[in-house]
């Protein structure tokens, strides 16, 4: 399914609520804002007659003034769209209604179905969730209005009484809100509860084969099941559900139980759904693969996202995932030669464009805004050129992003260079730049982007490919590519060492920790804390590589040590390396396992530094005591004893602090032992056919992730250990009732489906999308329509936060 087809389908769903949107102020929360930006929905709201589209979390009374359609009368209608549970968004909706007192009708759209609200244990709403919440909201609104009236009367102020005549609850069509949206409730909900087999709130637990009771399923699994069910209904698909992993089995069971006789009997297109637990393969999202999309997604900054800091009743927190709205620094790229850009008249054109068609209403003092600015203010207007990597209004009709996502770095950058060259030919613009065939560099892309941006019409016409070119150029910048390549080389060395001996792998990890600590300390002394510009790895980066090394060690040396993959001596050296690195630079990495100790460690380090400076005597300092011939003693013995006692106390405190630090490091290594046991504890990986194989040149799937190996085995109809098929209600009845007469249904195969949906619970990355396309191409099955998705898009930094950050379970 093409990206643009999904976007058009979403826009058509919004058109269905035209009567509600017309003449209304539309409030959308952070999740809807991100999703609507991806599909280009904001111009559509203007077309449908909305007065304004405003932020629900940041709403003010001035929102009623921001009227797109320039109507003089007050707004009587409000539309609220939320991607959260209704009880989580309640305070914002109540504040919205209380602020706009003249509103007579309010319509609330939510992306969470009634079934999801009733299925979540922490939700106070039942099966009739919409009507229950409607009653609750009206009740709270009336109580708030009475309190406000009383306060106004006590102060002698006349208050206009609100006349809210109706409040309507409606579901948003499921395609309107992307599950991977950073603000969507589905992506933020916890995927596991804390127990011995769990790793993080944002990841499924280890698949030991003991499926938990569905009554204790975490909120994220329940919401994911309901989302997939609604998505299948929207796409008119009858799903044959397969699952791999304990949490995936829970989701598959909920999905199957939600199906009814009516759903099965409807004439729908059959499709296969493969649910996979992310914990079956943690190495792939932790590593820096050869994917241009992953490089761009990891290198560029993200848009700031509103965080509600919601905490569920049973102690399971929401996952504050970073926004998926990647910001393209086009303004910075053009700002490197500001004089040429000023001479081209581009700033004045941008100013006039931003003023819009109502330029006659502009204040005289604002005229010539850019002419009054000096060179320092150039960045102010260049920031206005920055845009989002995924914005359909820039890519409509030209699926650049879809074509680039399944390309490696070299092929993808050359493809972007080709698109820029085609745009230059269309605009009859010549660029004098050295171009190497088959390669793309930042200077080449930068020269083409600047040439296309000189003209206002060319900039607006080619904004999509210009932004994509700027994103590619930023990812290919030496400050970003050097560190990515360093990571990739280190991961390759760990992979090679894992195929040799445990001693070699342990030495490799220890060497990475020591070098990163020295490099970071040297950069700190030189007052250059950011070592990424030189391609050097930080201590935080070394810990991420340690995670990769331990997972590789668990796959290759599962019985080396009593509690882990390394011997006691090998692990002792690793622990000492981490302890020394922390003592030398306690603030490096902002690590969770150092919470509560960081300030004490920094205080100790500062005290030692101050003592070193005191011990160094100056050249002109005279030691009077050395000239004293009186042997019977010195004055001030009591003061010296106090100093000695103080030093003894400090020495004791230092010893206690080091013991506390070693305890923290021991807890870190116990968590690393759990990661190293993934192959032996994950039931589907025990037989070895799905585990990560050694990267020998003759083995095509040696360096591939689990998604690639799964799709390859599915399409070749090989047996997959641990893969469970979820039979529907009717199917189970036929199997149990007519099976005794030999009339039972045969178990369907995923390979027999022409449409296959692969959904990774816990998230996916760009390299997995690329490898999935490779698996389909190598299978010789051009008839297969593959749709791959996940809870969110993951980067190596995201994996570090999930495994060693605030949402980790160690």
């Amino acid at each position: 399914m093409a990206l643009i087809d999904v976007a058009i389908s979403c826009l058509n769903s919004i058109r269905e609520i035209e009567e509600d949107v017309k003449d209304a102020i539309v409030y959308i929360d952070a999740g809807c804002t991100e999703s609507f930006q991806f599909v280009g929905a904001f111009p559509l709201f203007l077309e449908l007659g909305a007065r304004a589209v405003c932020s629900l979390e940041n709403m003010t009374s001035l929102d009623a003034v921001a009227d797109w359609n320039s109507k003089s009368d007050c707004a009587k209608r409000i539309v609220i769209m939320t991607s959260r549970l209704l009880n989580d968004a309640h305070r914002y909706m109540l504040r919205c209604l209380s602020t706009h007192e003249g509103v007579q009708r309010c319509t609330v759209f939510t992306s969470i179905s009634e079934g999801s609200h009733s299925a979540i244990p922490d939700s106070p709403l039942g099966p009739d969730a919409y009507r229950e919440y409607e009653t609750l909201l009206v009740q709270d609104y009336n109580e708030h209005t009475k309190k406000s009236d009383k306060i106004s009367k006590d102060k002698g102020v006349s208050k206009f009484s609100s006349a809210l005549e109706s409040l309507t609850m409606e579901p948003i069509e499921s395609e309107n809100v992307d599950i991977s949206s950073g603000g969507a409730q589905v992506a933020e909900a916890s995927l596991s509860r804390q127990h011995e087999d769990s790793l993080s709130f944002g990841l499924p637990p280890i698949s030991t084969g003991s499926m938990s009771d569905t009554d204790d399923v975490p909120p994220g699994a329940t919401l994911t099941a309901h989302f997939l069910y609604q998505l299948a209904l929207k796409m008119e698909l009858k799903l044959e559900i397969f699952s791999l992993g304990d949490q995936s089995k829970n989701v598959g069971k909920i999905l199957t139980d939600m199906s009814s006789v009516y759903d099965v009997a409807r004439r729908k297109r059959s499709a296969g759904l493969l649910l996979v637990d992310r914990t079956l393969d943690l190495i792939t999202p932790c590593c820096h693969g050869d994917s241009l999309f992953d490089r761009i997604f990891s290198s560029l900054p993200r848009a700031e996202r509103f965080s509600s800091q919601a905490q569920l009743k049973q102690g399971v927190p929401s996952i504050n995932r970073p926004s998926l709205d990647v910001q393209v620094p086009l303004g910075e790229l053009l700002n490197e030669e500001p004089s040429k850009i000023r001479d081209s008249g581009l700033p004045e054109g941008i100013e006039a464009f931003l003023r819009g068609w109502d330029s006659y209403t502009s204040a005289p003092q604002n005229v010539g805004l850019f002419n009054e600015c000096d060179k320092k203010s150039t960045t102010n207007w260049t920031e206005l050129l920055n845009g989002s990597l995924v914005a359909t209004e820039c890519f409509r009709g030209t699926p650049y992003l879809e074509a680039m996502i399944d390309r490696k770095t070299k092929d993808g950058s050359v493809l972007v260079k080709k698109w820029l060259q085609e745009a230059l030919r269309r605009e009859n613009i010549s660029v004098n730049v050295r171009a190497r065939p088959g390669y793309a560099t930042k200077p080449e892309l930068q020269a083409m982007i600047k040439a296309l941006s000189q003209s206002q019409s060319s900039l607006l016409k080619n904004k999509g490919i210009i932004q994509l070119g700027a994103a590619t150029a930023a990812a290919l910048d030496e400050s970003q590519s050097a560190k990515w390549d360093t990571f990739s080389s280190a991961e390759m060395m760990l992979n090679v060492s894992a195929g040799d001996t445990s001693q070699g792998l342990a030495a490799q990890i220890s060497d990475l920790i020591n070098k990163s600590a020295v490099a970071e300390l040297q950069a700190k002394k030189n007052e250059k804390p950011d070592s990424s510009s030189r391609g050097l790895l930080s201590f935080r980066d070394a810990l991420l590589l340690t995670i990769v090394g331990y997972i590789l060690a668990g796959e290759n040396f599962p019985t080396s040590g009593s509690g882990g993959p390394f011997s006691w001596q090998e692990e002792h050296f690793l622990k000492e390396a981490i302890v020394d690195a922390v003592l030398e630079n306690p603030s490096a990495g902002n690590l969770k396992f150092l919470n509560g100790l960081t300030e004490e460690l920094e205080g100790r380090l500062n005290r030692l530094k101050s003592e070193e400076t005191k011990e160094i005597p100056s050249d002109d300092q005279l030691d009077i005591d050395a000239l004293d011939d009186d042997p019977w003693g010195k004055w001030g013995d009591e003061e010296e004893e106090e100093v000695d006692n103080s030093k003894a106390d400090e020495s004791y405190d230092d010893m206690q602090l080091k013991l506390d630090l070693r305890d923290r490091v021991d807890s870190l290594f116990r968590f690393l032992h759990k990661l190293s046991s993934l192959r032996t504890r994950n039931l589907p990986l025990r037989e070895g056919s799905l585990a990560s194989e050694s990267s020998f040149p003759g083995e095509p799937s040696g360096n591939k992730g689990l998604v690639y190996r799964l799709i390859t085995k599915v399409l070749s109809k090989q047996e997959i250990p641990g893969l469970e098929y979820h039979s529907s209600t009717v199917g189970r009845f036929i199997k149990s009732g007519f099976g005794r007469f030999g009339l039972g249904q045969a178990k369907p195969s995923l390979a027999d489906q022409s449409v296959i949906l692969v959904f990774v619970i816990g998230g996916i990355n760009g390299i997995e999308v690329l490898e999935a396309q490779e698996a389909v191409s190598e299978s010789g099955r051009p008839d297969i329509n593959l749709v791959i998705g996940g809870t969110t898009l993951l980067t190596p930094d995201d994996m570090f936060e999930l495994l060693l950050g605030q949402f980790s379970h160690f």
Side-chain angles (χ1 to χ4, degrees):
M1 181 180 294
L3 174 65
I4 197 66
D5 295 335
V6 175
I8 292 176
S9 177
C10 295
L11 295 177
N12 291 336
S13 298
I14 296 178
R15 292 182 188 277
E16 296 176 2
I17 59 174
E18 178 179 3
E19 293 300 322
D20 298 292
V21 171
K22 188 176 182 181
D23 293 332
I25 301 177
V26 179
Y27 283 97
I28 55 179
D29 68 359
C32 290
T33 300
E34 193 168 305
S35 298
F36 288 164
Q37 181 180 357
F38 290 166
V39 302
F42 296 115
L44 179 59
F45 282 115
L46 174 61
E47 178 186 332
L48 297 180
R51 286 175 174 260
V53 179
C54 308
S55 168
L56 178 62
E57 294 90 350
N58 301 314
M59 66 85 50
T60 67
S61 58
L62 297 177
D63 294 338
V65 182
D67 192 346
W68 285 357
N69 293 314
S70 301
K71 295 185 178 180
S72 58
D73 57 328
C74 296
K76 305 293 186 194
R77 305 166 67 182
I78 282 181
V79 172
I80 299 175
M81 296 185 176
T82 178
S83 61
R84 297 186 168 278
L85 292 170
L86 292 173
N87 50 296
D88 286 346
H90 176 68
R91 54 174 173 158
Y92 302 113
M93 289 191 277
L94 182 61
R95 187 179 65 176
C96 182
L97 290 174
S98 303
T99 302
H100 298 287
E101 299 169 347
V103 170
Q104 297 178 357
R105 177 180 175 82
C106 175
T107 305
V108 179
F109 292 90
T110 174
S111 63
I112 310 296
S113 66
E114 282 188 304
S116 297
H117 279 88
S118 60
I120 297 297
D122 301 314
S123 174
L125 304 176
D128 195 13
Y130 292 164
R131 299 307 163 201
E132 293 176 14
Y133 181 74
E134 179 180 339
T135 304
L136 176 65
L137 182 58
V138 172
Q139 179 182 347
D140 288 353
Y141 172 74
N142 290 334
E143 291 180 1
H144 179 82
T145 304
K146 290 178 182 179
K147 291 181 180 179
S148 300
D149 289 339
K150 182 178 179 181
I151 294 174
S152 300
K153 290 179 181 178
D154 293 341
K155 293 183 177 181
V157 179
S158 60
K159 181 175 177 63
F160 176 77
S161 60
S162 177
L164 182 64
E165 296 176 354
S166 63
L167 186 143
T168 307
M169 302 294 304
E170 298 289 345
I172 301 178
E173 294 291 348
S174 57
E175 282 186 314
N176 283 358
V177 178
D178 182 6
I179 189 173
S180 62
S181 170
Q185 185 81 35
V186 182
E188 290 186 348
S190 174
L191 290 172
S192 68
R193 303 184 186 277
Q194 193 161 1
H195 52 82
E196 62 177 356
D197 293 327
S198 62
L199 299 173
S200 169
F201 286 113
L203 294 171
I206 299 174
S207 299
T208 58
S210 56
M211 184 187 300
S212 62
D213 188 2
T214 53
D215 293 336
D216 196 35
V217 172
T222 304
L223 291 174
T224 299
H226 283 262
F227 165 81
L228 293 172
Y229 177 74
Q230 296 295 331
L231 181 64
L233 289 180
K234 183 66 179 179
M235 299 174 68
E236 295 187 350
L237 294 176
K238 176 183 176 296
L239 296 179
E240 300 291 348
I241 305 169
F242 297 80
S243 63
L244 190 67
D246 287 354
Q247 201 63 275
S248 294
K249 290 179 182 179
N250 283 328
V251 174
K253 186 177 185 302
I254 297 173
L255 261 174
T256 306
D257 293 342
M258 290 171 64
S259 63
S260 62
V261 177
Y262 173 74
D263 294 329
V264 177
R266 289 182 62 185
R267 298 184 62 183
K268 297 179 181 180
R269 185 181 183 185
S270 178
L273 172 63
L274 176 58
L275 300 168
V276 184
D277 278 6
R278 175 75 276 170
T279 44
L280 295 176
D281 177 17
L282 292 180
I283 287 188
T284 301
C286 284
C287 290
H288 297 67
D290 189 9
S291 167
L292 179 60
F293 180 80
D294 280 346
R295 283 181 182 250
I296 291 176
F297 203 73
S298 299
S299 302
L300 297 183
R302 315 275 188 92
E304 293 184 4
R305 183 176 62 81
F306 178 85
S307 176
S308 64
Q309 299 293 335
Q311 186 81 15
L312 299 181
K313 293 180 180 179
Q314 297 183 5
V316 182
S318 296
I319 311 300
N320 295 326
R321 299 187 188 273
S323 170
L324 298 186
D325 187 6
V326 178
Q327 299 295 291
V328 180
L330 177 58
E332 295 179 9
L333 197 68
L334 298 178
N335 195 28
E336 294 185 7
E337 296 182 16
S339 58
K340 293 184 179 180
I341 298 176
R342 252 195 233 98
D343 296 339
S344 68
L346 182 60
E348 291 79 5
I350 295 174
E351 179 188 13
F353 177 78
L354 293 177
R355 286 177 179 174
W357 298 278
D358 294 334
S359 57
Y360 61 88
T361 61
S362 299
Q365 61 268 24
N366 292 333
V367 177
L369 175 64
F370 289 93
N371 295 331
E372 298 176 2
C373 297
D374 55 13
K375 294 181 180 180
K376 293 182 180 180
S377 64
T378 307
T379 55
N380 294 333
W381 65 264
T382 52
E383 288 178 359
L384 300 173
L385 293 175
N386 296 347
S388 175
L389 179 65
V390 183
T392 333
E393 61 266 18
C394 297
F395 296 92
R396 182 155 319 276
T398 53
Y400 294 133
L401 191 61
E402 186 183 5
M404 186 197 69
I405 196 171
D406 58 352
R407 300 293 182 106
K408 295 185 178 180
T409 304
K410 178 182 176 182
D411 296 339
S413 56
V414 170
L415 185 62
V416 172
K417 175 183 172 181
K418 176 184 176 183
W419 288 334
L420 288 170
Q421 291 172 336
E422 293 174 352
L424 290 169
R425 282 195 292 268
R426 288 194 303 267
E427 300 294 332
N428 293 322
I429 300 175
S430 59
V431 180
N432 186 15
V433 60
R434 282 187 175 184
R436 293 178 58 191
Y439 291 89
T441 61
K442 180 186 176 181
E444 292 175 358
L445 300 178
Q446 191 172 7
M448 297 178 187
I449 292 168
K450 290 181 178 179
L452 279 174
S453 303
Q454 294 295 325
S455 167
Q456 300 174 28
S457 60
S458 175
L459 174 63
L460 296 177
K461 190 186 304 180
N462 301 288
K463 184 67 180 297
I465 181 57
I466 287 175
Q467 287 197 158
L468 190 56
T472 305
L476 295 179
D477 185 77
E478 185 179 0
S479 62
Q480 301 293 341
S481 62
K483 186 169 183 177
W484 187 279
D485 295 338
T486 304
F487 254 120
S488 182
S489 299
E491 290 157 1
M492 187 177 299
M493 288 190 296
L494 291 177
N495 202 358
V496 173
S497 299
D500 191 6
T501 62
S502 63
Q503 293 89 341
L505 182 57
Q508 196 70 248
I509 298 173
S510 180
D511 186 54
L512 288 170
I513 295 173
N514 291 327
K515 286 183 177 179
S516 66
V518 172
E520 199 160 28
L521 189 62
Q522 188 65 34
K524 190 176 181 180
K525 289 181 179 179
N526 297 335
E527 297 183 353
K528 294 179 180 179
D530 184 13
S531 59
S532 61
S533 59
R534 296 173 292 167
L536 300 177
L537 299 178
S538 65
F539 178 57
R540 177 189 173 102
D541 300 332
L543 288 179
L544 180 60
L545 291 171
T546 302
I547 291 175
V548 175
Y550 259 79
I551 297 176
L552 289 172
E555 294 177 352
N556 292 273
F557 322 113
T559 58
S560 292
S562 58
F566 299 112
S567 66
W568 180 90
Q569 185 178 13
E570 293 164 356
E571 193 159 277
H572 174 72
F573 289 139
L574 292 175
K575 290 181 179 180
E576 289 300 314
I578 291 181
V579 168
D580 292 341
V582 172
L583 290 176
E584 289 292 337
N585 192 5
S587 59
N590 192 20
L591 305 170
K592 179 184 178 181
F593 72 92
L594 294 180
N595 286 349
L597 283 183
T598 304
E599 293 184 1
E600 296 182 32
L601 290 169
E602 287 181 346
R604 170 190 172 276
L605 184 63
N606 294 331
R607 188 180 69 252
L608 292 177
K609 288 182 178 179
S610 62
E611 290 177 357
E612 288 178 1
T613 55
K614 290 180 180 179
E615 289 176 0
I616 300 176
S618 59
D619 296 336
D620 57 348
Q621 183 178 357
L622 182 63
D623 190 354
I624 300 178
D625 294 333
L627 302 177
D628 191 359
D629 294 333
D630 189 359
W632 56 270
K634 305 175 183 178
W635 290 355
D637 289 341
E638 295 82 359
E639 294 181 0
E640 289 188 5
E641 289 180 3
E642 291 179 1
V643 172
D644 292 339
N645 292 335
S646 176
K647 289 184 178 181
D649 292 339
E650 290 178 357
S651 177
Y652 176 79
D653 292 340
D654 287 349
M655 185 179 300
Q656 186 63 40
L657 187 60
K658 289 181 180 179
L659 289 176
D660 292 341
L661 176 59
R662 293 182 187 278
D663 289 340
R664 300 291 185 93
V665 173
D666 287 340
S667 67
L668 170 64
F669 274 80
R670 284 193 294 270
F671 183 76
L672 292 176
H673 291 169
K674 185 187 292 188
L675 293 178
S676 68
S677 66
L678 288 175
R679 179 166 183 170
T680 56
R681 296 180 66 183
N682 272 316
L683 187 61
L685 303 181
R686 291 179 188 173
E687 297 184 14
S689 60
L690 284 178
S692 179
E693 291 130 0
S694 300
S695 55
F696 292 110
E699 182 62 43
S701 63
N703 283 325
K704 305 294 184 181
L706 178 66
V707 171
Y708 173 90
R709 297 195 294 273
L710 273 176
I711 296 176
T712 300
K713 292 181 181 297
V714 163
L715 296 182
S716 60
K717 296 187 176 181
Q718 297 182 31
E719 186 70 20
I720 299 177
L723 184 66
E724 180 171 322
Y725 170 67
H726 297 266
S727 178
S728 63
T729 305
V730 174
R732 288 197 300 267
F733 173 75
I734 294 176
K735 182 178 179 180
S736 60
F738 297 104
R740 68 189 67 177
F741 304 108
L743 301 175
Q745 283 184 323
K747 178 181 177 181
S749 172
L750 264 174
D752 298 333
Q753 307 292 333
S754 59
V755 178
I756 298 178
L757 287 78
V758 179
F759 191 88
V760 182
I761 299 177
I764 59 170
N765 65 354
I767 195 68
E768 290 180 304
V769 178
L770 190 156
E771 291 178 353
Q773 297 293 343
E774 289 181 358
V776 174
S777 301
E778 294 170 1
S779 68
R781 294 282 304 276
D783 58 312
I784 293 293
N785 294 320
L786 180 67
V787 181
I788 182 170
T791 311
T792 187
L793 281 170
L794 293 171
T795 65
D797 286 340
D798 296 335
M799 290 301 298
F800 182 91
E801 290 298 329
L802 290 174
L803 294 174
L804 294 182
Q806 59 177 325
F807 300 111
S808 174
H809 285 171
F810 82 87

